[in-house]
């Protein structure tokens, strides 16, 4: 039994476009407030559970037999089944939020996926281990580590997988749906709307942002002095600290390119990109303070 595609290209009046814009902004509002509610819930749960802050929990290791949820999803992978479960559920929530109250409007869902994805970028930055390149305290806590009382080594895998599974999936979905719309729409001067739109600055910025996201997916962090996979071949052999510094610099550059491109891609993205800039500055200052404190201890 085949299921019909529920979305269509429809023409909207100005009032209907305004209503769609309001709903898109409301989605971003709900997506960000859900982050705050999740942080509060985690904090309450950990306070009630009164988990002991010992050395094994700080290193992300558990005493006794390892639960099946704490084993890698695939042998050789870093992230565990628990990481994939949490990030997968969050992705489902954001996808549900993207299709909520969209009717059969194809472009509504397309725009919503991009809007919701960008609303999550500040959280991704707040989870990042800004002290990663520090030789004295590479596990310095991020602001999300502070807010949730989860140690940074435990939080960092969520940061990696959140970017790859949640943010990237929504951005790729947004871009793919838009490109399909351009391909299927005609233009009187260029034949197809795609031939026209790829010449426009805003679409070029969107493609640049998507390319940056793709490169972020491909380049894995170094786990030793010698590259072990083809995805790490761009990092020259050397000390682990040198390779970490080079990886961090390249990773940060790609994030900056993505955010700048998104800023100029669409006006509505600017609010979230300015939030991301503020989150990056706050997280960097906090991690620097923790690194400095670690040196004095």
């Amino acid at each position: 039994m085949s299921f019909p595609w529920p979305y269509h290209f429809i023409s909207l009046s100005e009032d209907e476009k305004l209503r769609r814009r309001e709903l898109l902004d409301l989605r971003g509002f709900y997506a960000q407030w859900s982050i705050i509610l999740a942080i509060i819930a985690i904090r309450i749960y950990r306070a009630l559970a009164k988990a002991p802050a010992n050395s094994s929990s700080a290193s992300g290791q558990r005493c006794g037999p390892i639960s099946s949820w704490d084993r890698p999803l695939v042998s050789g992978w870093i992230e565990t089944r628990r990481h994939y479960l949490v990030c997968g559920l969050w992705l489902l929530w954001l996808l549900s939020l993207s299709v909520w109250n969209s009717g059969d409007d194809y472009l509504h869902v397309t725009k919503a996926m991009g809007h919701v994805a960008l609303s999550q970028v500040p959280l991704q930055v707040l989870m990042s281990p800004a002290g990663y390149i520090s030789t004295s305290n590479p596990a310095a806590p991020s602001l999300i580590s502070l807010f949730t009382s989860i140690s940074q080594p435990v939080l960092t895998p969520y940061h990696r997988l959140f970017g790859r599974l949640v943010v990237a999936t929504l951005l790729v979905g947004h871009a793919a749906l838009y490109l399909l719309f351009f391909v299927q729409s005609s233009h009187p001067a260029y034949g197809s709307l795609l031939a026209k739109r790829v010449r426009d600055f805003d679409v070029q910025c969107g493609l640049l942002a998507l390319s940056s996201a793709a490169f972020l997916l491909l380049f894995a962090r170094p786990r030793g002095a010698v590259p072990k996979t083809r995805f790490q071949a761009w990092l020259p052999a050397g000390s682990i600290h040198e390779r970490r510094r080079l990886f961090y610099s390249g990773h940060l550059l790609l994030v900056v390119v993505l955010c700048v491109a998104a800023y100029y891609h669409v006006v509505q993205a600017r609010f979230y990109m300015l939030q991301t800039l503020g989150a990056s500055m706050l997280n960097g200052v906090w991690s620097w303070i923790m690194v400095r404190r670690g040196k004095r201890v």
Side-chain angles (χ1 to χ4, degrees), residues 8-25:
H8 309 282
F9 304 155
I10 61 177
S11 298
L12 301 179
S13 66
E14 292 302 319
D15 289 341
E16 289 172 330
K17 289 181 180 179
L18 179 60
R19 173 59 178 164
R20 182 171 66 184
R21 180 74 266 154
E22 293 173 348
L23 284 172
L24 289 172
D25 292 338

Side-chain angles (χ1 to χ4, degrees), residues 67-75 77-88 158 161:
S67 166
S68 61
W69 287 109
D70 295 314
R71 297 182 184 276
L73 183 65
V74 175
S75 179
W77 290 13
I78 301 175
E79 290 79 17
T80 66
R81 297 169 183 174
R82 187 186 305 276
H83 297 140
Y84 277 92
L85 175 64
V86 172
C87 291
Y158 288 103
L161 193 57

